[in-house]
Each structure stands twice: as C-alpha cells, then as structure tokens.
Amino acid sequence: MADLVRTVPICKVYCAASSSHHRCSNYHPQKVRFLDFGPRKDFLNLRTVNKWECASRVLPETQKANSPVEEDDKSSVSQGGNEETGITRTREFHKDLNALPRPLSATELYYSPSDRSKVRIAYQGVPGAYSEAAALKAYPECETVPCDQFEDVFKAVELWLVDKAVLPMENSVGGSVHRNYDLLLFHRLHIVGEVQMVVNHCLLGLPGVRKEELKSVLSHPQALFQCEATLNKFGVVKLSTNDTAGAAQIVAAEGVRDTGAIASARAGEIYGLQVLAENIQDNADNITRFLILAREPIIPGTGRAYKTSIVFSLEEGPGVLFKALAVFALRDINLSKIESRPQRNRPLRIVDDSNKGRAMYFDYLFYLDFEASMAEPRAQYALGHLQEMAKFLRVLGSYPMDTTL
C-alpha cells in the first residue's frame, strides 16, 4: 500500500502529525442558536441575545491558542470577564490542542507516514468523536485519521490515503444520516463491516466549573436534540456546532467558564475538560450504527451472521414495491432496514391521469439491508428475482453483522 500512496498524482501530499461522529434534522431550530464554528473560531464577542433567538454571524478569527499551563502555575490562573456580555474566560489550558492531528479536507489532504504497519481508518470530525470511537472498537490497534466532511472521508479512501473509513448511518433516536446514503451511491466504495455503539452523552466543562454555573452549551444539533429535556432543566442556551468533539475542542481552546459542551467522556479527556454529568440523553437506549467502507469488497462466508446491503430502483406501478420485497419473504430472509431517497437525476415523474390532468410522482431509490450472506443460494436467488423487476440494482456490500454493544 505504501508504494501505491506515493504514486497518487491528483493530490499534493503533505506530512502532518497524526494520532490515534450524524446528522438529523429532527431537532427544534427555534430553540437553538446556530453558529458555524470552525476549528479556530472565537465566539466570545457575540452580543448577548435572547435565549430563543437564532443567530448566524460570521465570527472573527481567534488568536493563537495559549500553551498549556505548567503544574506550578495552576494556582495563579488569571481570569477575565466581558462586562457587556457577562462571559468569563480563563487562560488555563490543560492540553496542547495544536499537537492534535488536523482534519483532512477536500482541498488540502494531509498524509502521515508515521506507522504504515497499522490500519489507517478515516472518520468525520476531530479526535474524540464518536466515529473515532467506533473505528477503535472495530480495529483497536488502528491509526485514526480525522476528516473535515463526510465527502472527504470517501475521498481519503479512494486516494489511498487511508485503508478504510467509518461513517455513521443511523441512530435509534435521530434516524438515518441521509447524506451518507447519498454518498454511498456516488462513490464506488464497498461496505465491509458494521459497528454498533451505545452513545453516552456527557456534559463537559472547564476544570473547577460546576454545572449550575453554565449559561450555554455547545454541541452537534443532533446531540442537543437528544439531550433537550435535560438541557431545558438546566436553563441553558443551546449553541450548534459541526460535531460533538469539536464543541469540546472549542470550550477548551476558548476557556469560557460558563459554556459547556456535550460530547463523549473520551473527548473530555483529550481536551482537558471535566465531566459534569453523564448519560444526559433523554432516551437511555441511544445507539448509533456505523458502516466500515473499503476500496475492495470482502468475500462473504456462511460461518457467522452476515448482512447484505443493496440499492435499487423500480418502475412506477401498483404493488411494485410489495412485489420487490416479497422476493425476500418467499425465501425466509429477514429485512432489517429500508430507506428511500429521491433520485436526483429524475426527481419527478409526470403521468397523464385520464381527464383529471397531470399527476406528479417522485422517482425513488431504495436502500435495503437483509440478513443473509451473498454466499448463500437463497440470497443469490432473491437478488436474481429482484433484478427481473428492478431498473437498477447494486450490491453495496455483504459483511459480518455486529451483534455486540
């Protein structure tokens, strides 16, 4: 693989330090202020606004992060305040944030040859993200590589910068991550595994801060939605960021004592924050399913439980979807997931409807997971039967099921 990486002609390869997160719209935007924080954005200069007011303001670049405070200096931490906003900040940093790996982006791809013997796994977010934890669950000895956007994760695998990718696909509370379903079709990667993880949202804050002192909380919109009832009890303002671990990074970098973050306990450890409360999600059964993607498919077997993922489209007609799903029921194959997405190249179908004018329908793609291996004849017969009525059919992957939490 090392030789192949050096022959990539379409990107400029850089060296950077390297070391070892979904999105849903089912939250309440009227209760959240949306702020687009980059990795180095300063939200301290925001004017004070009403709790329910939406704000989308371009924020100035913050100054360079302070270096960590030595052990002997912790007793002399200087604090300051802004009389207009009432926000207090501290200069005490417990982690060197500049030493963390910088996320890959589509325009600036970083490559680190630190240890090519390890499997390199790309994920979206920054160190401490739930997606990184999923990668470490699947490959405990892997080298994780953060990426800026979901699209960048796919490209990192295609350009041979990493070996595999881990992406969130659905959450038991928030539902499917539709963007990643679309990207599965646009890219030619293969599903080679899945990871299921229990999400434990923690309320994080600077060391020495009590949760009663918090006035605002940062996190991904989905995390804010999943913890809405708890946050309402605290009476805090909810601020949206790109990801959960990124929220922890912002709180640590800016040193705002009355602002907390919702993220994993591991993110708190990475960025030097303390856990003020654990398991603050409203629903205790909060599980996220991740998919593992690679350039080449694996050879499915029959020695353990397997799952196969496909995508297909159908002609319009009465009962056509019922007939398509029946090919699995006839062979005693269990369906564990079905997701429909509009076709972007043919979003609408216009049909004459007698003398009543025109009717418009959406053309859909159907993503389906069924519990069988492609090595089993029943799965092969089912897909052969489905192909007779499908306009388009593609197997995304046949891979072992994750039955552990």
Side-chain angles (χ1 to χ4, degrees):
M1 172 184 167
D3 294 336
L4 290 174
V5 171
R6 289 196 292 269
T7 62
V8 175
I10 60 175
C11 71
K12 188 174 181 180
V13 179
Y14 297 81
C15 291
S18 181
S19 68
S20 42
H21 169 359
H22 33 266
R23 187 167 307 193
C24 177
S25 58
N26 296 333
Y27 53 90
H28 304 285
Q30 71 274 14
K31 298 183 180 180
V32 182
R33 290 194 298 163
F34 291 87
L35 306 174
D36 184 14
F37 293 117
R40 297 291 181 188
K41 298 297 183 182
D42 187 350
F43 57 89
L44 298 176
N45 296 325
L46 288 176
R47 58 185 175 84
T48 303
V49 297
N50 185 275
K51 178 178 180 181
W52 309 112
E53 181 179 352
C54 283
S56 57
R57 179 176 176 180
V58 178
L59 304 175
E61 291 289 336
T62 187
Q63 295 180 349
K64 191 175 182 180
N66 296 338
S67 59
V69 174
E70 299 296 335
E71 189 70 26
D72 296 339
D73 297 335
K74 289 186 179 180
S75 59
S76 60
V77 175
S78 61
Q79 298 180 0
N82 187 314
E83 296 180 357
E84 180 181 353
T85 62
I87 296 177
T88 58
R89 69 189 301 175
T90 178
R91 294 181 181 177
E92 179 176 2
F93 282 34
H94 296 266
K95 296 287 181 181
D96 185 2
L97 302 182
N98 291 324
L100 295 173
R102 180 176 175 179
L104 302 181
S105 68
T107 58
E108 192 176 33
L109 295 175
Y110 283 78
Y111 171 70
S112 171
S114 57
D115 188 354
R116 296 174 183 174
S117 64
K118 291 186 176 181
V119 177
R120 290 170 57 85
I121 310 294
Y123 68 94
Q124 187 276 328
V126 297
Y130 291 109
S131 294
E132 185 187 33
L136 292 172
K137 177 186 176 182
Y139 302 93
E141 301 299 325
C142 74
E143 180 182 355
T144 56
V145 179
C147 294
D148 188 34
Q149 302 293 332
F150 289 129
E151 178 81 23
D152 302 330
V153 177
F154 282 83
K155 291 181 178 179
V157 181
E158 292 174 334
L159 294 176
W160 292 76
L161 298 179
V162 297
D163 303 298
K164 295 179 174 64
V166 170
L167 287 166
M169 296 304 297
E170 58 180 326
N171 177 264
S172 58
V173 177
S176 300
V177 185
H178 294 141
R179 175 59 177 163
N180 285 339
Y181 274 97
D182 294 338
L183 289 173
L184 278 177
L185 186 64
F186 298 154
H187 295 268
R188 298 296 299 184
L189 299 184
H190 303 269
I191 305 173
V192 297
E194 68 174 359
V195 181
Q196 295 190 110
M197 282 191 56
V198 176
V199 176
N200 174 16
H201 287 312
C202 297
L203 181 62
L204 308 176
L206 293 174
V209 173
R210 295 179 296 109
K211 60 183 179 181
E212 292 79 12
E213 300 178 49
L214 298 181
K215 297 180 181 178
S216 57
V217 171
L218 300 170
S219 197
H220 187 274
Q222 184 56 236
L224 295 174
F225 164 71
Q226 294 172 6
C227 304
E228 184 177 20
T230 302
L231 295 178
N232 289 339
K233 292 179 182 179
F234 291 159
V236 295
V237 176
K238 297 180 280 292
L239 304 175
S240 175
T241 59
N242 291 332
D243 55 82
T244 55
Q249 187 183 59
I250 291 171
V251 172
E254 301 296 344
V256 183
R257 294 183 60 82
D258 56 6
T259 300
I262 296 177
S264 66
R266 183 171 179 271
E269 180 181 351
I270 291 174
Y271 301 108
L273 303 179
Q274 67 174 350
V275 177
L276 306 180
E278 290 189 85
N279 293 306
I280 65 171
Q281 58 270 14
D282 301 336
N283 192 326
D285 297 324
N286 191 357
I287 301 171
T288 298
R289 175 174 173 253
F290 300 82
L291 291 181
I292 305 172
L293 306 177
R295 289 179 293 273
E296 299 294 335
I298 62 172
I299 300 176
T302 57
R304 56 180 298 183
Y306 269 76
K307 183 181 293 185
T308 300
S309 297
I310 63 173
V311 56
F312 62 93
S313 62
L314 300 167
E315 291 287 354
E316 190 69 30
V320 62
L321 181 58
F322 170 80
K323 295 174 183 177
L325 300 182
V327 306
F328 300 98
L330 291 172
R331 294 165 179 88
D332 198 28
I333 298 177
N334 183 49
L335 304 181
S336 58
K337 170 75 173 181
I338 183 169
E339 184 78 29
S340 62
R341 299 290 296 149
Q343 295 193 53
R344 293 192 175 186
N345 58 339
R346 297 180 59 191
L348 290 176
R349 179 196 299 266
I350 301 176
V351 182
D352 290 331
D353 191 10
S354 301
N355 295 324
K356 298 181 180 179
R358 297 186 304 173
M360 293 186 296
Y361 304 92
F362 278 95
D363 276 331
Y364 286 97
L365 289 166
F366 299 96
Y367 293 82
L368 190 70
D369 294 343
F370 61 87
E371 297 177 0
S373 169
M374 281 302 297
E376 300 180 60
R378 60 174 183 156
Q380 300 170 14
Y381 293 145
L383 291 188
H385 194 173
L386 176 60
Q387 195 169 23
E388 295 176 2
M389 62 188 79
K391 294 191 300 180
F392 164 78
L393 173 63
R394 176 179 160 191
V395 177
L396 299 171
S398 188
Y399 47 92
M401 295 174 56
D402 183 11
T403 57
T404 63
L405 290 176

